[in-house]
Amino acid sequence: MMSSRLFRRISVAFLALCVLAIGMNTALAAEASTAPDASASTSNIPPVPFAFRSSPLPNVLVIATGGTLAGKAADATSFQNYRAGTYLMEDLVKQLPDKDKIADVSVYQFGNKGSGGYAVAELYDLSLAVDQALELYDGVVVTTGTDTMEEIGYFLDLTVQSEKPVVITGAMRPWDVIGTDAPANLYNAIKLAGSGKTTWFGTVLMLNDTIHAARDVTKSNAHRMDTFETPILGALGYIDEEEIRIYRAPARVLKADQEGWRTPFDLKKIGKKDLPLVGIAYNGQEMSGGSIRGLVAEGAKGIVTAGTGAGGISSRMSDARKEAIAQGVIFVTTTRTGSGTMYGGGEGIIAGDSLNAQHARILLILALAFSDDFDTIKEWFETVGRQDIDGSQLAS
């Protein structure tokens, strides 16, 4: 029989092991709770089908989020009366004629709603999904609603780490009405992504046969199919049936395959909870400072002002901005005119260059998620955000 002394020693040792195991599990759980979000949504990216692996065609994944392109109209002539994000992308892709001539196409249904219905935290998941897809596919098409397409596109442009083509597209008329632009936009976006012609361009937007840089493009009309424009700078190129012509490129292409091509905003290094509240305050004649004070009260860490002319704001807004800066809020100056470059800045204020207010807001959200240092954020706006070209630096 085991002696009582030996039994006590074994019991004490066993108890110590149990305490150690509990402590290790607690530590691991705590570490997991503070780790960046590894979104479950990115684990469902479909593998390249076996039948496509030996095909000479490029493999393109369409990541669908809904929008007008997937909308169901009240009837065949209801251009404005429809429910966005109704049809599944798998069914829409099956309806595309001759797609087997341009690419082997797979589909991932990320979501199915209007673009304005997505939270910034969901764009975090979308960006990670795009990067994961590009580990397998030659190019990715992201379909979204057009209302906030320029913001979604710029978020992807700033955060996707792969150099492979990312093309964002949508439609101004739902899929099932006469004269719809939805099938043609989807077909041409797949063609563009599969062509590889926008490799190293970052994210580009393609609607109405026209290719735009995500940083520069904006929605200019509530209803027209040629709504997307790039003020002053112009489009990157066009698609004319089999021809894809690129006439200019984003400045980041000059850094292809070099350090500095990728932005500092690798989402794997942060969690969704790190994405801060950032607002836009719009200036007008004798505008009050209520919009700024309201955003500060809600906990905004940054505010973009859409000023008159060269970024001007009213005296009352200026007073509210000074109060907010004293509380640590960072401001970015833009213009409400639709185009124009902002220069200078000041204490707590960063010039937004030629970014419009909605683009500047996206960059400020990401910058504040990665740093709370004003000088660092200012430098990112002057480099990542500016994207200008200095030919004197191109000489070998």
Side-chain angles (χ1 to χ4, degrees):
M1 292 181 64
M2 183 183 300
S3 68
S4 59
R5 180 178 298 175
L6 179 60
F7 179 79
R8 284 196 299 271
R9 288 178 178 175
I10 293 174
S11 299
V12 170
F14 179 74
L15 180 61
L17 285 172
C18 289
V19 171
L20 178 62
I22 292 171
M24 290 178 65
N25 286 336
T26 301
L28 288 172
E31 182 179 354
S33 67
T34 59
D37 302 296
S39 173
S41 67
T42 63
S43 64
N44 298 320
I45 297 296
V48 177
F50 180 79
F52 292 172
R53 294 176 190 173
S54 58
S55 169
L57 293 172
N59 291 307
V60 173
L61 181 67
V62 178
I63 299 180
T65 73
T68 299
L69 186 145
K72 179 178 176 58
D75 57 61
T77 59
S78 294
F79 300 144
Q80 305 303 324
N81 185 14
Y82 62 89
R83 186 157 57 92
T86 300
Y87 294 117
L88 295 177
M89 183 54 61
E90 182 178 6
D91 297 330
L92 303 185
V93 166
K94 287 178 180 178
Q95 297 176 41
L96 289 180
D98 295 333
K99 64 180 177 295
D100 56 346
K101 294 181 179 180
I102 57 173
D104 291 322
V105 185
S106 301
V107 172
Y108 172 52
Q109 193 76 44
F110 176 88
N112 214 7
K113 57 186 175 181
S115 58
Y118 283 94
V120 174
E122 291 175 289
L123 303 188
Y124 172 103
D125 291 338
L126 178 62
S127 179
L128 291 180
V130 170
D131 255 326
Q132 184 176 343
L134 290 173
E135 294 176 5
L136 306 173
Y137 290 84
D138 299 314
V140 162
V141 171
V142 178
T143 63
T144 78
T146 60
D147 284 355
T148 60
M149 180 180 285
E150 62 187 278
E151 286 130 289
I152 295 173
Y154 193 43
F155 188 95
L156 295 177
D157 187 54
L158 290 171
T159 57
V160 171
Q161 300 296 298
S162 174
E163 75 280 2
K164 292 181 181 179
V166 179
V167 181
I168 189 166
T169 195
M172 291 300 291
R173 293 179 177 177
W175 186 272
D176 53 5
V177 298
I178 60 169
T180 178
D181 56 332
N185 285 343
L186 179 59
Y187 185 89
N188 273 345
I190 293 170
K191 183 193 299 182
L192 179 59
S195 75
K197 285 200 169 186
T198 58
T199 302
W200 297 109
F201 276 46
T203 299
V204 300
L205 183 149
M206 198 298 304
L207 267 86
N208 205 40
D209 306 335
T210 308
I211 307 162
H212 297 270
R215 177 199 179 275
D216 306 318
V217 70
T218 190
K219 187 173 182 179
S220 66
N221 190 281
H223 303 299
R224 303 288 75 81
M225 287 192 287
D226 59 351
T227 178
F228 282 99
E229 298 180 357
T230 298
I232 304 297
L233 303 177
L236 300 178
Y238 306 93
I239 301 177
D240 295 317
E241 288 204 21
E242 296 180 359
E243 301 293 340
I244 300 174
R245 297 296 172 94
I246 306 292
Y247 294 101
R248 74 175 186 92
R252 67 187 304 192
V253 172
L254 298 176
K255 297 181 180 179
D257 206 21
Q258 299 178 25
E259 184 179 354
W261 180 86
R262 291 174 180 83
T263 76
F265 310 128
D266 183 353
L267 296 181
K268 298 183 185 69
K269 297 179 180 179
I270 65 167
K272 286 184 282 189
K273 65 183 184 303
D274 296 315
L275 295 164
L277 174 64
V278 173
I280 298 174
Y282 197 92
N283 185 42
Q285 199 75 41
E286 200 183 3
M287 203 74 164
S288 78
S291 58
I292 291 176
R293 293 189 178 96
L295 286 167
V296 174
E298 286 192 347
K301 301 300 181 185
I303 296 174
V304 176
T305 55
T308 50
I313 60 174
S314 70
S315 59
R316 296 171 70 185
M317 283 187 74
S318 181
D319 290 340
R321 182 170 65 179
K322 290 176 184 176
E323 296 169 9
I325 290 171
Q327 298 178 55
V329 178
I330 293 178
F331 281 78
V332 174
T333 299
T334 68
T335 176
R336 74 176 197 182
T337 62
S339 64
T341 302
M342 303 296 102
Y343 302 98
E347 183 180 352
I349 305 170
I350 297 170
D353 194 71
S354 60
L355 294 170
N356 65 23
Q358 50 269 36
H359 287 167
R361 174 176 175 262
I362 294 297
L363 178 53
L364 187 54
I365 288 171
L366 289 167
L368 285 165
F370 281 81
S371 177
D372 57 4
D373 178 67
F374 176 83
D375 290 333
T376 299
I377 295 171
K378 181 173 181 288
E379 181 184 3
W380 285 339
F381 267 84
E382 293 172 349
T383 52
V384 177
R386 195 161 71 191
Q387 290 294 310
D388 63 335
I389 295 172
D390 184 352
S392 67
Q393 298 179 359
L394 302 181
S396 58

